[in-house]
Amino acid sequence: MRPVILVRGLTAAAVVLAASFAAGCAPQPEPSSQAAPSSSAGGAAACPQGKLATETAGKLTVGTDKPAYAPWFKDDKPENGQGYESAVAYAVAEKLGYQKDDVVWQTVAFNNAFAPGEKKFDFDLNQISISDQRKKAVDFSSGYYDVRQTVVALKSSKAAKAKSVADLKDVKLGAQVGTTSLDVIKDVIKPSQQPAVYQKNDFAKAALKNGQVDAIVVDLPTAFYITGAEVQDAAVIGQFENVPGKAEQFGLVLDKGSALTACVTGAVDSLRKDGTLAKLEKQWLADAVDAPVLK
């Protein structure tokens, strides 16, 4: 993403708009490419319901950044169960044997979630893409969302006329630090001028709105929320192709070598298999506008 891509992101205006247009913009359907879990899923004996070795006995501590952006969360309140990632967190908790009241939310900055060092959460979700580099410092569950990076540009900028990756090389681009969105700018677009890098996606959106950059890169659902509810003078220019068999995915982040990794991965796999992830995606990220693919 978030930081939810084009960077993370990474997302309020009218509640109705957020629930329909903005909150509903999933990438083009494609075969899911499951990320390899850090360890094999454990059985019932290894994952006792509601009795895992969590940070606080009997509780499940879940981390995410603040602000918590729509459509991944709603009203900047992860605890309300609304928005795709909030709903996924509670669905995972239920699979692990924890009720809603057992879930404790903790604010964790995007970059800190996957930085080296001991974690104070059981898992974190914040539009964090699974990557081999990040796996050196943390564990990931299997992917809970297949994502595409997207370009958002001011309608009045030269970036708005871009039809290909080459058309973006000479425009001023921006993204959130530490995100795959920034990686796309550097590794795919390879612009002629250094991209602007922002600590949070809110800063990137403000720079776009003020004309300090021509375009920013974020994930597709976030892109449609920005253009539908936050920066009305901006438009989704296009999305980037995923490499076949290597779809970018968001994963739950856990401490390196966490005893919970297998159980959390098993929960995510079960939610995908029983259709829960597809149902939640349809509820919160549906009605996607078909963004052209930039080649």
Side-chain angles (χ1 to χ4, degrees):
M1 125 127 270
R2 4 169 106 165
V4 208
I5 56 160
L6 344 170
V7 135
R8 176 184 76 81
L10 337 339
T11 144
V15 172
V16 173
L17 180 61
S20 59
F21 175 67
C25 304
Q28 294 179 350
E30 62 183 64
S32 172
S33 175
Q34 291 289 341
S38 300
S39 57
S40 59
C47 304
Q49 290 284 289
K51 297 181 180 180
L52 300 176
T54 54
E55 285 289 319
T56 301
K59 300 291 184 180
L60 194 65
T61 302
V62 181
T64 199
D65 204 350
K66 188 173 182 64
Y69 302 106
W72 310 103
F73 300 91
K74 188 175 180 181
D75 300 330
D76 193 21
K77 295 180 179 179
E79 68 277 7
N80 65 16
Q82 300 183 61
Y84 181 72
E85 289 192 325
S86 180
V88 167
Y90 284 112
V92 170
E94 184 176 358
K95 286 289 186 182
L96 296 174
Y98 294 89
Q99 302 303 310
K100 187 172 183 179
D101 290 345
D102 299 327
V103 177
V104 178
W105 288 89
Q106 180 183 91
T107 298
V108 180
F110 179 75
N111 287 338
N112 291 346
F114 52 86
E118 184 179 356
K119 308 305 178 189
K120 296 301 182 183
F121 52 75
D122 294 311
F123 66 77
D124 181 284
L125 73 173
N126 190 25
Q127 305 108 68
I128 298 175
S129 297
I130 300 167
S131 73
D132 290 338
Q133 181 63 33
R134 290 172 179 173
K135 283 182 180 180
K136 295 177 181 179
V138 295
D139 280 0
F140 279 98
S141 71
S142 50
Y144 63 87
Y145 181 69
D146 298 345
V147 65
R148 284 196 179 195
Q149 298 296 312
T150 312
V151 176
V152 175
L154 289 178
K155 296 176 183 177
S156 59
S157 75
K158 58 183 178 181
K161 299 178 181 179
K163 303 296 183 183
S164 67
V165 173
D167 293 337
L168 295 168
K169 291 187 179 296
D170 294 326
V171 303
K172 183 65 175 177
L173 300 167
Q176 184 178 341
V177 65
T179 63
T180 50
S181 300
L182 184 58
D183 291 341
V184 165
I185 293 176
K186 293 180 176 178
D187 301 335
V188 178
I189 302 174
K190 300 178 181 178
S192 58
Q193 56 183 311
Q194 287 294 319
V197 182
Y198 302 96
Q199 190 64 33
K200 286 183 174 289
N201 218 33
D202 270 352
F203 301 153
K205 288 184 291 185
L208 177 69
K209 189 173 184 178
N210 296 331
Q212 295 170 302
V213 294
D214 297 312
I216 60 175
V217 177
V218 292
D219 60 79
L220 188 57
T222 298
F224 281 111
Y225 188 78
I226 290 173
T227 56
E230 297 184 307
V231 186
Q232 295 183 354
D233 293 332
V236 176
I237 304 307
Q239 60 183 314
F240 295 91
E241 285 187 303
N242 279 326
V243 177
K246 295 183 179 180
E248 181 181 347
Q249 292 186 311
F250 293 156
L252 305 181
V253 179
L254 301 95
D255 205 355
K256 186 66 175 176
S258 172
L260 304 182
T261 300
C263 298
V264 172
T265 290
V268 172
D269 289 345
S270 178
L271 291 170
R272 185 179 288 276
K273 184 177 181 179
D274 68 16
T276 299
L277 292 182
K279 180 180 178 180
L280 293 177
E281 184 173 331
K282 183 177 181 180
Q283 179 180 359
W284 296 107
L285 305 176
D287 304 323
V289 177
D290 187 17
V293 175
L294 299 170
K295 298 182 178 181

